[in-house]
Amino acid sequence: MQVAISKDGIKSVAWKTEKNEGPFTCPGCTGEVILKKGKIKEHHYAHRPPYNCPYGAGETQIHYRCKREIYEALLAHPKCSDCDIEKQLSGVRPDVYAVISSARVAIEVQKTTINLNDIERRSARYQMLGIYVLWLVAHDSPNLTWHAGEEEWTCRPKEWEKYLHSMYFGRVYYWAGGLSVTPYHFDKFQTWVNESEWYDEDGEYRQEGGYYRDARALKRPIKCPSNSIDIAQDFLPRKRRVFSSKNWSVPECNIWMDNLDPWWSKK
Ligand SMILES: [Zn+2]
């Protein structure tokens, strides 16, 4: 967590707070937390063990850095107001919150421990509160692997990446520093099935392959051509209707989405 309550009862952001303002308590469980101010690592608070509280669970250094940079950039941005970090709202607590060009926006930085139910529940909650949500991944790209056969980059999106891809009409946002994000579309990836021929046990001639087929788990990542776009400048509030596929359903929600035309569709 990057926010705690100081001894004066004030919400204190880790990198703007000194140790003598403590002791500090967790906004979730009110247990004691320790302010960690290293030279290299991101400043944050950690529960004093033993503890049993989910507040701040699963946050990593890159996650802390992403939240801090976005929060600081929005705080200084002329189009933004009411900027807050780990803001306690009714039933949900966005990593960063701000009013951007009069739209209320919640930014959720994806943790590796999240599950689809959690994304769905929080997105539905934001919809009830009239807040537009931006789900971000704290890495700069999907996990890419080189496919030697087709000589192309591929990726194998996780379930939550596919879910966010559905939610944002065919794109996932990867964080590129400050307010910059790089959207990726996951396109179909086709692999060549080698031609083979043989005689089966009845002596019948058999032949197979010699065509392309869609790979099941592998996708072709298509990066947005403008490379990176700005959360405050290039995004708009948008309504998402209920969407169901055979694997999941995305609830009706308010999303904070880029204003680009689909860059992957061939005209
Ligand atoms: Zn706690």
Side-chain angles (χ1 to χ4, degrees):
M1 71 191 78
Q2 284 160 298
V3 157
I5 310 300
S6 73
K7 69 171 175 233
D8 301 326
I10 296 163
K11 181 175 175 177
S12 306
V13 180
W15 64 92
K16 296 177 176 179
T17 303
E18 295 305 325
K19 288 196 171 176
N20 61 18
E21 294 169 53
F24 304 98
T25 53
C26 167
C29 67
T30 70
E32 190 181 349
V33 291
I34 303 154
L35 175 57
K36 300 210 165 181
K37 286 177 93 74
K39 281 204 167 56
I40 299 160
K41 288 192 170 178
E42 291 287 334
H43 299 176
H44 65 281
Y45 298 94
H47 285 98
R48 185 184 285 282
Y51 68 96
N52 181 18
C53 171
Y55 196 111
E59 291 186 312
T60 57
Q61 283 292 311
I62 181 80
H63 192 263
Y64 288 143
R65 189 160 72 85
C66 180
K67 282 165 65 182
R68 178 177 54 79
E69 286 194 22
I70 291 174
Y71 169 73
E72 290 288 336
L74 289 176
L75 207 57
H77 200 285
K79 279 183 161 184
C80 304
S81 61
D82 296 340
C83 192
D84 205 347
I85 183 166
E86 298 175 21
K87 185 181 175 70
Q88 190 59 61
L89 298 165
S90 163
V92 75
R93 191 182 65 240
D95 287 319
V96 182
Y97 170 88
V99 176
I100 306 175
S101 310
S102 75
R104 301 173 71 202
V105 178
I107 298 168
E108 287 273 4
V109 182
Q110 181 64 46
K111 294 182 200 74
T112 47
T113 49
I114 199 150
N115 61 50
L116 299 188
N117 289 341
D118 227 9
I119 299 176
E120 187 173 339
R121 183 189 63 78
R122 288 196 227 167
S123 301
R125 190 75 210 160
Y126 288 125
Q127 205 262 344
M128 284 176 67
L129 296 169
I131 294 172
Y132 295 85
V133 63
L134 170 60
W135 285 93
L136 270 191
V137 187
H139 298 281
D140 60 1
S141 74
N143 206 351
L144 302 173
T145 47
W146 181 250
H147 193 282
E150 304 300 335
E151 298 190 324
E152 269 192 277
W153 288 103
T154 60
C155 64
R156 206 177 282 268
K158 302 214 166 64
E159 280 304 289
W160 56 261
E161 280 172 311
K162 291 191 251 180
Y163 186 89
L164 294 180
H165 196 261
S166 301
M167 191 165 168
Y168 290 89
F169 301 96
R171 68 211 72 191
V172 179
Y173 300 110
Y174 295 85
W175 183 59
L179 293 179
S180 298
V181 295
T182 307
Y184 275 86
H185 173 73
F186 303 141
D187 210 1
K188 277 181 185 161
F189 180 74
Q190 296 194 313
T191 46
W192 180 254
V193 181
N194 281 330
E195 200 171 336
S196 59
E197 46 182 13
W198 71 96
Y199 288 91
D200 68 14
E201 60 256 40
D202 301 322
E204 291 290 333
Y205 173 77
R206 303 290 292 271
Q207 186 258 333
E208 215 178 69
Y211 53 84
Y212 278 100
R213 74 173 163 76
D214 290 343
R216 220 170 291 151
L218 279 185
K219 298 284 174 193
R220 192 159 68 93
I222 307 181
K223 189 157 106 176
C224 153
S226 49
N227 218 0
S228 78
I229 54 173
D230 186 291
I231 293 172
Q233 302 288 351
D234 305 314
F235 279 67
L236 294 169
R238 223 174 137 174
K239 298 266 176 200
R240 182 69 169 105
R241 289 206 189 134
V242 178
F243 169 82
S244 303
S245 75
K246 63 180 194 296
N247 294 319
W248 53 65
S249 72
V250 176
E252 186 179 339
C253 50
N254 296 329
I255 53 173
W256 188 243
M257 190 181 143
D258 67 76
N259 57 9
L260 306 168
D261 290 327
W263 55 90
W264 59 90
S265 62
K266 300 153 198 102
K267 282 188 186 131

